[in-house]
């Protein structure tokens, strides 16, 4: 029997596949300096969350200064030194000191900076240039090289605009003007992305950190086993259910894979699933965690600001609910058909956790229910996050083993700040990209270019946008990916008359799915490292299992009713019903099994019926339902005939 991964092995995998986990193991005085810095970072955000945010430039620059300084102290310059160094290098101490100066520049010089808005004087240029270089290096260390390169390419585009070909050409931006835009306005590094990071995202990450301290992650695993463990192919369904729950407290695909996959993947392999399939189930499920409300990936908070128009985070979470359920339903059905195809059982009674124990810890779900209720009531996201942290601490005190004591609170504050470092760096780099797009008009140019390339037709435009999102997502985190595609690709979809929310969720989905799309597929790579399977095949299997994620975005663009936009309940129920039936048909066609093994033409018919049912149109629904019912009847009659023949032979 294969055992679950140890905590040491989990950390090793996180450091290998998740750049945000590759920190130094500091010792001595510097360890305590960093710990106090992390604590101060969290206390600053709690203070401003409770007593009111500072002005935009102050809130964002202090947030940036904290994040940059801590990144240089925690993250080594070289990838090979991750997890090995025990002290910060001398040059990192200098970079950290410069980061503090950059972060303090706005608070100290705010009166002068406001008076000479639009003009650089004295040290302004050098501080702004230092801010840009520090952000690029911090992003390279904490997030990865690709997003840093993309930011540099965008800045070069701004500087050398007159030399660009065709519609990409523009007047060009001088270096002084570029530096001024990047650090002395709210259109660059201190723009909307880091603004969201310094308010909503930080507090929600802090909430997740407190939840983890209660042991709710382990409880999710036990609850998932209690719900799905006894069914056919139980461990695979446990992975799906557990990852959906884990997604409520984690915004990282790789982190989800390692934490829940550490025990679900060995369980699946012990039951008889192939290595690649076991890894793929976990990778596809964990990636979908970022799509699951109420706490989606960090990019969902950016969406609130980017769409504007009075839309709230709760509106986005509500709109994402049905697509997320359909996504996990598709994976669940595929794992069921695969288990039936190869004849796998569920877990035995002895392998199941005690039902009494599972029920006795249901109270751990109260904070998650509370934050949903608070947001539904109309409370602001910041207040909802703050109250949820308080509720988490109170609820944890119900039993001694889940209680968060004083030391636990301190550790949760430090851990929450640590988890925010990568997001802060990514949003700062994304701000550089947004600044260039705003300054050069690149967004409109690219949108018009996409429409010209697609001939102004919706489906080709969606396809090209999907490809762009997947390519960008392979080399950058979801947050940065969303910023780029929402400013460049989403406008093309909106110009065709599609609602803003549908367009933004479309690029959001494909940015996330990039985590399991070969050849990079970081989430699939991490899952393969646990399962021992071949990484590329695991990625292919993951993409196959997550086929719903490649279909659902097209569904809610063509039928915004799935996002609960301008629809009646009767029509919504019908759309969801046909989509669910369609997912069954597509799953059977992809796996090649329904009530029995399917012939090649049956698989084609099943997939065709599923696509027809998913496409929101009456005629296609009728054709799909007739084909689905025909295939179902044929399967049933064939199975019944086989049973009768077997009885006659045995008789």
């Amino acid at each position: 029997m294969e055992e679950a991964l140890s905590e040491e092995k989990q950390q090793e995998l996180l450091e290998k596949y998740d750049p945000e986990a590759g920190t130094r193991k500091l010792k001595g005085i510097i360890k305590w300096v960093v710990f106090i810095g992390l604590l101060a970072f969290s206390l600053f955000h709690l203070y401003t969350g409770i007593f009111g945010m500072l002005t935009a430039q102050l809130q964002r620059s202090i947030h940036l200064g904290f994040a940059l300084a801590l990144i240089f102290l925690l993250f080594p310059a070289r990838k090979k030194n991750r997890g090995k160094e025990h002290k910060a290098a001398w040059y990192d101490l200098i970079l950290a000191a410069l980061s503090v100066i950059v972060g303090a520049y706005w608070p100290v010089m705010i009166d002068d900076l406001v008076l000479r808005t639009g003009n650089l004087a004295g040290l302004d240029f050098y501080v702004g240039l230092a801010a840009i270089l520090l952000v690029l290096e911090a992003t390279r260390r904490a997030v990865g090289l690709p997003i840093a390169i993309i930011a540099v390419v965008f800045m070069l585009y701004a500087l050398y605009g007159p030399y660009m070909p065709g519609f990409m050409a523009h007047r060009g931006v001088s270096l002084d003007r570029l530096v001024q835009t990047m650090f002395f306005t709210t259109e660059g590094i201190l723009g909307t992305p880091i603004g969201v990071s310094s308010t909503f995202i930080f507090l929600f990450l802090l909430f997740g950190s407190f939840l983890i301290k209660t042991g709710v992650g382990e409880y999710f695993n036990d609850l998932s086993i209690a719900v799905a463990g006894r069914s056919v192919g139980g461990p695979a369904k446990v992975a799906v259910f557990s990852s959906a729950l884990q997604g409520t407290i984690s915004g990282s695909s790789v982190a989800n894979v390692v934490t829940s996959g550490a025990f679900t993947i060995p369980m699946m392999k012990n039951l008889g699933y192939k290595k690649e399939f076991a890894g793929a189930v976990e990778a596809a499920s964990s990636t979908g965690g970022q799509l699951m409300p109420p706490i989606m990936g960090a990019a969902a908070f950016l969406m609130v600001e980017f769409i504007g128009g009075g839309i709230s985070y709760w509106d986005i979470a509500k709109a994402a609910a049905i697509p997320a359920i359909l996504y996990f339903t598709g994976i669940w059905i595929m794992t069921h058909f695969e288990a039936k195809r190869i004849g796998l059982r569920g877990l035995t009674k002895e392998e199941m956790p005690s039902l009494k124990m599972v029920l006795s810890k249901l109270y751990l779900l109260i904070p998650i229910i509370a934050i949903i209720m608070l947001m539904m009531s109309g409370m602001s996201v910041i207040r909802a996050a703050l109250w949820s942290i308080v509720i988490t601490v109170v609820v944890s005190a119900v039993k001694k083993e889940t209680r968060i004591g004083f030391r636990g609170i301190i550790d949760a504050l430090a851990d929450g700040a640590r988890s925010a470092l990568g997001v802060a760096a990514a949003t700062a780099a994304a701000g550089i990209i947004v600044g260039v797009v705003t300054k050069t008009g690149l967004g409109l140019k690219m949108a018009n270019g996409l429409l010209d390339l697609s001939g102004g037709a919706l489906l080709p435009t969606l396809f090209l946008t999907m490809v762009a999102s997947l390519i960008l997502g392979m080399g950058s985190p979801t947050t940065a990916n969303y910023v780029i595609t929402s400013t460049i690709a989403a406008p093309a979809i909106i110009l065709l008359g599609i609602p803003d929310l549908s367009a933004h969720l479309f690029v959001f989905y494909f940015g996330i799915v990039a985590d399991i799309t070969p050849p990079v597929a970081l989430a699939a790579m991490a899952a393969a490292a646990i399962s021992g399977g071949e990484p590329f095949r695991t990625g292919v299997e993951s993409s196959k299992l997550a086929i719903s994620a490649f279909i659902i975005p097209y569904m809610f663009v063509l039928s915004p009713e799935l996002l609960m936009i301008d629809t009646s309940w009767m029509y919504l129920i019908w759309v969801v019903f046909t989509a669910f039936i369609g997912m069954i048909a597509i799953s059977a066609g992809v796996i090649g099994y329904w009530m029995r093994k399917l012939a090649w033409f049956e698989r084609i018919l099943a997939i065709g019926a599923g696509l027809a049912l998913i496409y929101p149109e009456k005629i296609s629904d009728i054709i799909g339902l007739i084909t689905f019912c025909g295939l179902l009847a044929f399967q049933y009659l064939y199975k019944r005939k086989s049973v009768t023949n077997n009885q006659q032979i045995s008789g």
Side-chain angles (χ1 to χ4, degrees), residues 1 21-22 27 43 47 56 70 135 174 285 301-302 304 307 344 350 372 384 413 428 465 498 510 526 540 560 570 580:
M1 295 285 286
K27 293 181 179 180
L43 291 175
Y47 177 84
L70 289 166
V135 165
S174 69
S285 303
F301 293 95
L302 288 168
V304 178
I307 295 177
L344 299 184
E350 291 72 27
I372 296 172
L413 290 171
T465 304
I498 300 302
F510 285 112
V540 172
M570 289 300 295
F580 177 75

Coordinates of all heavy atoms in Angstrom, one line a residue, residues 1 21-22 27 43 47 56 70 135 174 285 301-302 304 307 344 350 372 384 413 428 465 498 510 526 540 560 570 580:
M1 N 0.8 -1.2 0.0 CA 0.0 0.0 0.0 C 0.9 1.3 0.0 O 1.8 1.4 0.8 CB -0.9 0.0 1.2 CG -1.9 -1.1 1.3 SD -3.3 -0.8 0.1 CE -4.2 0.5 1.0
A21 N 6.7 29.3 -3.1 CA 7.0 28.5 -2.0 C 8.5 28.4 -1.8 O 9.0 27.8 -0.8 CB 6.4 27.1 -2.1
G22 N 9.3 28.9 -2.8 CA 10.8 28.7 -2.8 C 11.5 29.7 -2.0 O 12.4 30.4 -2.5
K27 N 17.8 31.6 9.5 CA 18.1 31.4 10.9 C 18.7 32.6 11.5 O 19.1 33.6 10.9 CB 19.1 30.2 11.0 CG 18.6 28.9 10.6 CD 19.7 27.8 10.7 CE 19.1 26.4 10.3 NZ 20.2 25.4 10.4
L43 N -0.5 43.4 10.4 CA -1.1 44.4 11.3 C -1.4 45.7 10.6 O -2.4 46.3 10.9 CB -0.1 44.6 12.5 CG 0.0 43.4 13.4 CD1 1.1 43.8 14.5 CD2 -1.3 43.1 14.1
Y47 N -5.2 47.1 10.5 CA -5.4 48.5 11.0 C -6.2 49.3 9.9 O -7.2 49.9 10.3 CB -4.1 49.2 11.3 CG -4.3 50.6 11.8 CD1 -4.6 50.9 13.1 CD2 -4.1 51.7 10.8 CE1 -4.8 52.2 13.5 CE2 -4.3 53.0 11.2 CZ -4.6 53.3 12.6 OH -4.8 54.6 13.0
A56 N -5.0 56.3 -1.9 CA -4.5 55.3 -2.8 C -3.0 55.2 -2.9 O -2.5 54.1 -2.7 CB -5.1 55.5 -4.2
L70 N 10.5 42.2 1.9 CA 10.4 40.9 2.4 C 10.7 39.8 1.4 O 11.3 38.8 1.7 CB 8.9 40.6 3.0 CG 8.6 41.4 4.3 CD1 7.1 41.4 4.5 CD2 9.4 40.8 5.4
V135 N 10.7 46.0 -8.7 CA 9.5 45.2 -9.0 C 9.8 44.1 -10.0 O 9.4 42.9 -9.7 CB 8.4 46.1 -9.6 CG1 7.3 45.3 -10.2 CG2 7.8 47.0 -8.5
S174 N 8.7 58.8 -23.8 CA 10.1 59.0 -23.3 C 10.3 58.3 -22.0 O 9.4 58.0 -21.3 CB 10.3 60.5 -23.1 OG 9.5 61.0 -22.0
S285 N -8.9 18.8 -10.8 CA -9.8 19.2 -9.7 C -9.2 20.4 -8.9 O -9.9 21.4 -8.6 CB -10.0 18.1 -8.7 OG -10.6 17.0 -9.4
F301 N -10.9 39.3 -7.6 CA -11.0 40.6 -7.0 C -10.7 41.7 -7.9 O -11.2 42.8 -7.9 CB -10.1 40.6 -5.7 CG -10.5 39.7 -4.6 CD1 -10.0 38.4 -4.5 CD2 -11.5 40.0 -3.7 CE1 -10.4 37.5 -3.5 CE2 -11.9 39.2 -2.7 CZ -11.4 37.9 -2.6
L302 N -9.7 41.4 -8.8 CA -9.3 42.4 -9.8 C -10.5 42.7 -10.8 O -10.7 43.8 -11.2 CB -8.1 41.9 -10.6 CG -6.8 41.9 -9.9 CD1 -5.7 41.2 -10.7 CD2 -6.3 43.4 -9.7
V304 N -13.6 42.9 -10.2 CA -14.5 43.9 -9.6 C -14.1 45.3 -10.1 O -15.0 46.0 -10.6 CB -14.5 43.8 -8.1 CG1 -15.5 44.9 -7.5 CG2 -15.0 42.4 -7.6
I307 N -14.1 45.6 -14.3 CA -15.4 45.7 -14.9 C -16.1 47.0 -14.5 O -16.7 47.8 -15.3 CB -16.3 44.5 -14.5 CG1 -15.7 43.3 -15.2 CG2 -17.7 44.7 -15.1 CD1 -16.5 42.0 -14.8
L344 N -13.4 -0.6 -10.9 CA -12.9 -0.3 -9.6 C -14.0 -0.2 -8.6 O -15.1 0.2 -8.9 CB -12.1 1.1 -9.7 CG -10.9 1.1 -10.6 CD1 -10.2 2.5 -10.5 CD2 -9.9 0.0 -10.3
E350 N -13.9 -0.1 6.6 CA -12.7 0.0 7.5 C -11.8 1.1 7.0 O -11.0 1.7 7.8 CB -11.9 -1.3 7.5 CG -12.6 -2.5 8.2 CD -13.8 -3.0 7.4 OE1 -13.8 -2.9 6.2 OE2 -14.7 -3.6 8.0
I372 N -20.1 33.8 3.3 CA -21.1 33.8 2.2 C -22.3 34.7 2.6 O -22.8 35.5 1.9 CB -21.5 32.4 1.8 CG1 -20.4 31.6 1.3 CG2 -22.7 32.4 0.8 CD1 -20.7 30.1 1.1
A384 N -16.5 42.0 5.4 CA -16.9 40.6 5.5 C -15.6 39.7 5.8 O -15.7 38.8 6.6 CB -17.5 40.1 4.1
L413 N -1.0 35.3 11.3 CA -0.7 36.7 10.7 C 0.5 36.7 9.8 O 0.6 37.2 8.7 CB -0.6 37.7 11.8 CG -1.8 38.1 12.6 CD1 -1.5 38.9 13.9 CD2 -2.8 38.8 11.8
A428 N 2.0 44.2 -9.0 CA 2.9 45.3 -9.3 C 3.4 45.2 -10.7 O 3.4 46.2 -11.5 CB 4.0 45.4 -8.3
T465 N -9.0 34.5 -28.6 CA -8.8 34.9 -27.3 C -8.4 33.8 -26.3 O -7.6 33.9 -25.5 CB -10.1 35.6 -26.8 OG1 -10.5 36.6 -27.7 CG2 -9.9 36.2 -25.4
I498 N -21.0 41.4 -26.3 CA -21.1 40.5 -25.2 C -21.0 41.2 -23.9 O -20.2 42.2 -23.8 CB -20.0 39.4 -25.3 CG1 -20.1 38.7 -26.6 CG2 -20.0 38.4 -24.1 CD1 -21.4 37.9 -26.9
F510 N -9.7 30.7 -19.0 CA -8.7 30.1 -19.8 C -7.3 30.4 -19.2 O -6.3 29.6 -19.4 CB -8.8 30.5 -21.2 CG -9.9 29.8 -21.9 CD1 -11.0 30.4 -22.4 CD2 -9.8 28.4 -22.1 CE1 -12.0 29.7 -23.0 CE2 -10.8 27.7 -22.8 CZ -11.9 28.4 -23.2
A526 N 3.2 18.9 -11.0 CA 3.3 18.6 -9.5 C 2.5 17.3 -9.2 O 3.0 16.5 -8.4 CB 2.7 19.8 -8.8
V540 N -1.9 15.8 -20.5 CA -2.9 15.5 -21.5 C -4.2 14.9 -20.9 O -5.3 15.3 -21.2 CB -2.3 14.5 -22.5 CG1 -3.4 14.0 -23.5 CG2 -1.2 15.1 -23.3
P560 N -25.5 34.0 -21.7 CA -25.2 34.7 -20.4 C -26.1 34.3 -19.2 O -25.9 34.6 -18.1 CB -25.4 36.2 -20.7 CG -25.2 36.3 -22.2 CD -25.8 35.0 -22.7
M570 N -37.1 29.7 -14.7 CA -37.5 28.6 -15.5 C -36.5 28.3 -16.6 O -36.1 27.2 -16.9 CB -38.9 28.8 -16.1 CG -40.0 28.7 -15.0 SD -40.1 27.1 -14.2 CE -40.6 26.1 -15.6
F580 N -26.1 19.9 -18.0 CA -25.7 18.7 -17.2 C -25.8 17.4 -18.0 O -24.9 16.6 -18.0 CB -26.7 18.7 -16.0 CG -26.4 17.5 -15.1 CD1 -25.3 17.4 -14.3 CD2 -27.3 16.4 -15.1 CE1 -25.1 16.3 -13.5 CE2 -27.1 15.3 -14.4 CZ -26.0 15.2 -13.5

